Amino acid sequence: MLQRSASLGRPTAVELEVIRASLGGIVQEMQNSLFRTGFSTIIRESQDASCALLDANAAVIAQHVVLPLHIGAFPACTEAVLRAFGGDIAPGDAFLINDPYEGGSPHAPDMAVITPLFFEDTLVAFCASIAHKGDIGGPVPGSCSGQAREVYNEGLQLPPVRYQRNYLPFGDVERIIAANSRTPELVLGDIRGQLGSARLGERRLAALLEKFGASKCVAAFNELGDIAERRMRAIIKTWKDGVFEAERFVDDDGVELSKPVRIHVRVEKAGDTIRFDFTGSADQTRGPAN
C-alpha cells in the first residue's frame, strides 16, 4: 500500500491543477453514468446517490456528493473493506457494504460499492459510490420504518463482502440480496449500475496514472488534501473566537410520541480549530431518531 512519503515525485503547480481538475471530471463522469444506468427512480430521478475517489488509505481525494452526509461515509466504508480483506485485495475485486456500525453508512438502505484500483501491481486508489436502495427487507416496504426499535428493522445488514473477484460476480451474494428485497430487480439493477460507474472510474483514473505516473499522482493526492486543510483552517482563523451553544428539538422518536428529542451542541472556536460537543443532547432513543 502506498504511504505518504517525502520521496515521492512532486507535481509542478500546473500538473497539480491538471490532476485536480481531472479527478473532479472523473467523479462527475462516474456520477453521470450512475444516474443514467440506475434502475430505480431513487437514482434516476431523486439522485440519492454519490460517487467518490479515495486513496489507498481510504482518504477522499475527489467527490461529487449529492448528499453531504455521504462524505464521511466513504472513508468509513472503505476502511471497513481494508480491515476485513487487508492483503487479500486484488485487481478486478468489488466489495459491498451497508452496515452502519461496521462501515458508517448513514443507514442500512445506503449501500456502498467499492472497487480497488491497482497500477503496476500496487494498490493506488479506490472508486466508490453510495446509493439508497428502495427495499432491502425489514418489516415495512421501503425498509425505513418510522417505528423501528433496532437496526435490524431496516432490513439486510451487509458487512464488507466481496461482490466480484477478477471481474467475475459472486452469484451467491446477489441471490442473498434478492431474497431479502421486495423489489429485487430494482435493487440489483442499481447495484450493477454502481459497479459500472466504479469500473468507469477505474479506467479513467488508470489513464491519469499512465499520463503522470503513480508517484506524481499519489503526491498530488496528498498535496490536494493538505491544501484543502490549509484553506479551511485559514478561513476558520478569521472567525471570532469564543464558545457558542444552540439546541433544537425533534418532535418525537416515532415510538415515544410525547417525548421530544433534544439536540444540543456546544461549539468552541479557538484560532484555526473548532470543537463540537454534543454531550448535552438526549440519550439514545427507543425509536429511529438516533
Side-chain angles (χ1 to χ4, degrees):
M1 185 179 298
L2 293 176
Q3 303 290 338
R4 291 177 182 265
S5 172
S7 65
L8 293 174
R10 293 186 61 183
T12 65
V14 172
E15 289 172 331
L16 181 65
E17 180 60 19
V18 171
I19 292 172
R20 183 203 64 77
S22 298
L23 293 173
I26 292 170
V27 177
Q28 181 68 68
E29 191 173 358
M30 291 170 61
Q31 193 80 62
N32 291 340
S33 170
L34 180 54
F35 287 160
R36 293 178 67 87
T37 59
F39 270 44
S40 71
T41 55
I42 294 174
I43 290 181
R44 289 187 289 104
E45 296 182 18
S46 300
Q47 298 189 346
D48 190 348
S50 304
C51 294
L53 299 175
L54 303 96
D55 68 14
N57 300 309
V60 173
I61 56 176
Q63 52 83 21
H64 182 76
V65 175
V66 179
L67 297 176
L69 54 83
H70 286 164
I71 295 176
F74 279 118
C77 290
T78 306
E79 287 168 1
V81 170
L82 287 169
R83 286 195 304 271
F85 293 94
D88 189 27
I89 298 176
D93 279 351
F95 303 94
L96 296 176
I97 180 172
N98 77 330
D99 188 315
Y101 293 95
E102 181 71 20
S105 296
H107 61 166
D110 278 341
M111 192 172 293
V113 176
I114 301 168
T115 66
L117 175 69
F118 284 77
F119 188 77
E120 297 178 349
D121 299 323
T122 300
L123 177 62
V124 175
F126 291 94
C127 299
S129 65
I130 295 175
H132 185 102
K133 299 294 170 286
D135 187 279
I136 56 169
V140 300
S143 307
C144 293
S145 172
Q147 296 182 319
R149 302 194 186 194
E150 56 182 1
V151 70
Y152 302 105
N153 289 153
E154 289 191 335
L156 181 66
Q157 309 287 308
L158 288 176
V161 295
R162 199 187 307 273
Y163 181 48
Q164 284 195 340
R165 165 129 273 187
N166 195 28
Y167 301 101
L168 298 176
F170 284 177
D172 290 348
V173 174
E174 288 200 346
R175 283 191 288 273
I176 290 171
I177 294 171
N180 282 273
S181 174
R182 298 172 179 87
T183 57
E185 290 185 1
L186 294 180
V187 170
L188 292 180
D190 284 349
I191 292 173
R192 293 164 183 166
Q194 288 180 254
L195 178 63
S197 74
R199 297 302 188 203
L200 173 62
E202 289 177 38
R203 295 194 297 273
R204 298 292 187 263
L205 189 52
L208 185 67
L209 290 163
E210 187 69 38
K211 181 178 181 179
F212 290 100
S215 295
K216 189 168 288 188
C217 284
V218 170
F221 300 164
N222 297 334
E223 191 166 347
L224 289 170
D226 292 340
I227 290 172
E229 180 178 348
R230 290 198 300 270
R231 286 179 176 175
M232 178 64 76
R233 289 188 179 277
I235 292 173
I236 292 173
K237 195 171 183 178
T238 65
W239 299 348
K240 179 182 177 180
D241 287 351
V243 177
F244 312 90
E245 296 189 54
E247 69 179 26
R248 289 292 186 270
F249 289 85
V250 177
D251 290 346
D252 58 71
D253 68 350
V255 174
E256 296 181 293
L257 303 182
S258 62
K259 184 178 179 181
V261 182
R262 185 191 192 204
I263 302 174
H264 181 93
V265 62
R266 183 177 186 271
V267 181
E268 298 181 25
K269 157 63 172 65
D272 63 355
T273 64
I274 301 179
R275 181 175 183 269
F276 296 89
D277 182 358
F278 289 93
T279 56
S281 299
D283 292 334
Q284 180 171 305
T285 67
R286 294 176 62 200
N290 296 306

